[in-house]
Amino acid sequence: MVSGSASETGGNAEQILAALDDDQRVAARALIGPVCILAGAGTGKTRAITHRIAYGVATGVYSPNRVMALTFTSRSAAELRTRLRPLGAGGVSARTFHAAALSQLNYFWPTVVGGDMPRVLEGKARLLGHAAETLKLRVDTASLRDLAAEIEWRKVSSLSLDAYELALRTSRSLPGQLTVDQVLGLHQKYEDIKDERRQLDFEDVLLATSGMIEQEPAVAMQVHEQYKFFVVDEYQDVSPLQHHLLSLWVGGRNDLCVVGDASQTIYSFAGARSDYLLSFEHDYTNATTVRLEQNYRSTPAIVDVANRLMKGRAGALSLHAAVPESPTTPEARPALTVYPSDVTEARGIASRISDLVQSGVPASDIAVLYRVNVQAAVLETALGDAGVSYQVRGSKRFFDLPEVKQAVMSLRAASVSITGEPLFKSVSDVLRSLGWSQAPPEGRGAVRDKWEALNALMGLAEQQGDGITFRQFTDELMERQGSGHEPTIQAVTLATLHSAKGLEWPIVFLVGLSEGLVPISYATTFEQIDEERRLMYVGITRARDRLEMSYSESGMGRSQQRLASRFLQEALPGTRTPDAPGIAAR
């Protein structure tokens, strides 16, 4: 990494390029015109784009205040700014799409519309609750969260209510027990109440900014004068709405650099489309395309597993490990372990981690990655029993989930009056009153998450041996709930595959690699299953030195027999796994 003051760095542009490999250097020198950087996992894409921007500033091609670098999270934007500053490009604007749009909206609103800009909602659930009350509909909290997600998807997909109705009737899952007409009514009422209160949601910020640029020539002229050079990180995650706003910002000019990896498209359910990345060369026939395939993160064995998983997929890059395997100290090959149950899987992993920590491996060097939040519960228990500190990333701990808190309270109250019944019946009766059923709801979302959490509690009841009373079971639940404590920084990370994107650890345990989890049970179409493949790819490529994979042959329920994930047979050739379904065909 090049360091020093802006003047020192600016005086020696070639010093900036010295920190790059040959392919990264090609990308950095391509300063003018459309540029597409196809950057595989661990190939140093952030280094490439920050040094490219800094090189443009140092050579005088870019004026810092005319460059806009866009990304998708505040953390990523902050990282870009942090890296640009010591390279002499601290004046470059590095923001999320929403932050950039909100800044422009605040600036132009008083002139174009008049008065102060409307307040931006922090969330949609409360206003949706008011809409439901107005329409005299009873909608639970989980369904409100799913409705909010549907509104976001509709807007970022640039769909009118009529077009959304068609999607609802053909491909989208209905939130909760609502009908199509009820969902559409709630969408419309939500918009009406929001307008009456002079409020905007996050998607409205992008829509309003787009509208101002399209309809007000003076606004478009000022925006185009302000920004000339654009860099978009994680371009595979761009939604139709963001793509439209970006095209308005660029304004028919060509100085656009996009960076992405189609193999890491894992947010299609939220409106992301890798099509824009994959079609960039077609859309810009004079584009410079650079492929970054030299992986600096993972061992050759881990890279090999990742390549095998993605072989032949659209836009897949072929990674090459930067450091070859040592013939004298051969690296650990990624291994698969099969456990009889979720509990034994969690305990086995906790035991392995405990041994690693006792041997001197820092706990913070280890991560356990899984598909859905509810899988964390049994892992938390096993790590706690093993005396291993951990932290859950990107979600609340299992016993802190609102639906779990409510369920534990209801079970505790019922245990006072219900005696003599089989534990399974007592627990299932209470959980059914809270929305649990033996069959899971279709589709993904908060309603499914709630069911998974309640089903995990049902699974804990099923695991109990003969003779335990309902009261004793709830005593154990209360003890588990009350024993939680904030982990220290030096802790093992527990994270979903989605929340692990963009991160890395020396040692990664990839758990629950069975049919129904990876791919998830509600992934049924070719596109959905392919996204599950990419999600597993993201998990594999988080590991630097060691990757251990596992699954259990049975879940929480006694009858939940599982098969190995279909992806394992491709990622680990030669590994003996039970027969699994073939890959979905078009």
Side-chain angles (χ1 to χ4, degrees):
M1 175 68 73
V2 178
S3 60
S5 68
S7 60
E8 289 171 342
T9 306
N12 189 357
E14 293 307 308
Q15 185 183 2
I16 296 174
L17 299 184
L20 306 178
D21 66 25
D22 291 344
D23 293 328
Q24 292 169 345
R25 199 171 291 119
V26 171
R29 288 185 182 277
L31 297 175
I32 300 298
V35 178
C36 180
I37 303 175
L38 301 173
T43 58
K45 71 175 179 64
T46 304
R47 170 181 288 261
I49 60 176
T50 52
H51 282 66
R52 178 182 180 275
I53 293 170
Y55 183 70
V57 172
T59 55
V61 176
Y62 297 165
S63 175
N65 63 348
R66 300 205 69 192
V67 180
M68 180 186 285
L70 295 160
T71 188
F72 288 85
T73 67
S74 298
R75 181 178 63 84
S76 297
E79 182 182 1
L80 285 177
R81 291 192 294 270
T82 299
R83 293 206 193 188
L84 286 168
R85 199 171 299 116
L87 291 171
V92 168
S93 175
R95 295 179 174 180
T96 65
F97 273 86
H98 280 94
L102 185 59
S103 176
Q104 291 182 6
L105 205 57
N106 269 312
Y107 180 80
F108 290 114
W109 191 280
T111 302
V112 175
V113 182
D116 295 333
M117 198 189 92
R119 184 172 67 87
V120 178
L121 289 168
E122 293 183 2
K124 298 180 176 65
R126 180 174 295 180
L127 197 149
L128 273 168
H130 293 159
E133 289 176 8
T134 303
L135 296 176
K136 295 181 171 53
L137 293 174
R138 296 189 64 180
V139 185
D140 62 21
T141 303
S143 295
L144 287 176
R145 291 202 297 268
D146 284 346
L147 278 166
E150 281 295 288
I151 289 174
E152 291 167 10
W153 181 83
R154 171 175 62 81
K155 289 187 170 186
V156 302
S157 300
S158 299
L159 295 180
S160 65
L161 272 176
D162 288 341
Y164 176 65
E165 179 180 0
L166 179 61
L168 269 183
R169 296 188 184 279
T170 57
S171 60
R172 302 294 291 179
S173 298
L174 288 168
Q177 303 299 313
L178 298 170
T179 67
V180 170
D181 288 340
Q182 288 172 335
V183 171
L184 294 172
L186 282 164
H187 277 238
Q188 186 61 63
K189 182 58 66 174
Y190 165 84
E191 298 295 340
D192 292 344
I193 296 175
K194 181 166 53 66
D195 291 344
E196 290 168 6
R197 298 179 180 181
R198 290 195 75 250
Q199 294 175 328
L200 301 175
D201 59 27
F202 280 105
E203 293 71 44
D204 290 335
V205 171
L206 302 186
L207 287 165
T209 305
S210 298
M212 281 191 180
I213 297 173
E214 283 182 301
Q215 298 170 19
E216 299 291 334
V219 172
M221 183 179 66
Q222 288 186 66
V223 169
H224 296 158
E225 179 63 28
Q226 176 67 61
Y227 296 109
K228 180 181 179 183
F229 303 98
F230 296 84
V231 179
V232 186
D233 192 13
E234 304 286 4
Y235 195 61
Q236 76 278 354
D237 289 336
V238 164
S239 70
L241 176 56
Q242 290 165 330
H243 183 263
H244 179 60
L245 177 56
L246 176 65
S247 68
L248 293 172
W249 279 336
V250 175
R253 297 167 294 179
N254 283 326
D255 290 316
L256 170 64
C257 172
V258 300
V259 189
D261 178 11
S263 294
Q264 296 188 68
T265 307
I266 60 173
Y267 291 107
S268 294
F269 65 88
R273 293 191 184 175
S274 60
D275 301 359
Y276 300 123
L277 176 67
L278 295 175
S279 65
F280 191 85
E281 290 178 277
H282 178 268
D283 296 337
Y284 295 88
T285 54
N286 61 334
T288 299
T289 300
V290 183
R291 300 168 74 91
L292 302 184
E293 298 177 306
Q294 188 84 314
N295 179 284
Y296 294 96
R297 176 184 300 156
S298 306
T299 66
I302 294 171
V303 167
D304 180 61
V305 171
N307 282 337
R308 288 180 183 276
L309 181 64
M310 297 307 297
K311 185 177 181 180
R313 315 318 289 183
L317 299 166
S318 180
L319 300 178
H320 311 285
V323 181
E325 181 177 352
S326 170
T328 56
T329 56
E331 61 190 81
R333 308 292 296 179
L336 173 67
T337 304
V338 183
Y339 294 93
S341 69
D342 287 346
V343 172
T344 54
E345 182 181 24
R347 288 174 179 169
I349 290 166
S351 176
R352 288 280 297 115
I353 291 174
S354 178
D355 290 344
L356 288 168
V357 172
Q358 289 179 24
S359 71
V361 176
S364 58
D365 283 0
I366 304 171
V368 184
L369 308 182
Y370 41 84
R371 177 62 178 86
V372 291
N373 284 319
V374 72
Q375 290 174 268
V378 67
L379 291 164
E380 290 185 57
T381 298
L383 288 170
D385 291 344
V388 176
S389 296
Y390 63 89
Q391 56 184 347
V392 182
R393 178 179 179 82
S395 68
K396 292 182 178 179
R397 296 175 64 179
F398 178 75
F399 282 100
D400 289 337
L401 295 171
E403 51 266 37
V404 173
K405 285 184 174 180
Q406 180 187 14
V408 171
M409 290 175 58
S410 297
L411 288 166
R412 184 63 168 176
S415 71
V416 175
S417 56
I418 298 176
T419 59
E421 288 184 349
L423 178 63
F424 179 88
K425 183 181 186 306
S426 300
V427 175
S428 64
D429 285 348
V430 174
L431 295 184
R432 284 179 193 279
S433 72
L434 299 174
W436 178 80
S437 60
Q438 285 190 317
E442 294 183 1
R444 62 177 304 134
V447 170
R448 177 63 180 246
D449 291 343
K450 176 182 176 180
W451 181 89
E452 294 282 5
L454 297 179
N455 195 52
L457 290 174
M458 194 67 246
L460 289 175
E462 290 183 338
Q463 292 171 29
Q464 302 300 322
D466 295 334
I468 186 171
T469 67
F470 190 12
R471 182 58 179 262
Q472 288 171 328
F473 173 68
T474 59
D475 285 343
E476 181 182 333
L477 288 182
M478 297 293 288
E479 183 179 346
R480 288 189 182 211
Q481 187 179 53
S483 63
H485 61 277
E486 290 298 320
T488 60
I489 296 299
Q490 190 55 250
V492 172
T493 297
L494 301 181
T496 64
L497 291 167
H498 281 101
S499 65
K501 188 171 182 287
L503 304 174
E504 61 182 78
W505 296 268
I507 301 172
V508 168
F509 290 83
L510 202 51
V511 308
L513 298 179
S514 61
E515 290 291 311
L517 286 173
V518 183
I520 199 73
S521 59
Y522 48 76
T524 56
T525 66
F526 177 90
E527 290 75 15
Q528 290 169 339
I529 291 173
D530 230 27
E531 181 130 333
E532 295 292 305
R533 175 191 296 274
R534 295 191 294 269
L535 201 52
M536 182 168 165
Y537 173 83
V538 166
I540 290 169
T541 54
R542 298 313 93 194
R544 295 212 307 255
D545 304 320
R546 183 179 300 178
L547 173 66
E548 298 196 16
M549 295 181 277
S550 63
Y551 76 96
S552 66
E553 294 178 310
S554 67
M556 291 293 190
R558 293 168 181 152
S559 62
Q560 292 181 355
Q561 295 302 309
R562 294 184 179 140
L563 297 173
S565 168
R566 65 194 74 184
F567 303 140
L568 284 170
Q569 295 176 330
E570 300 173 55
L572 295 175
T575 299
R576 293 182 61 84
T577 61
D579 292 337
I583 298 170
R586 290 185 183 277

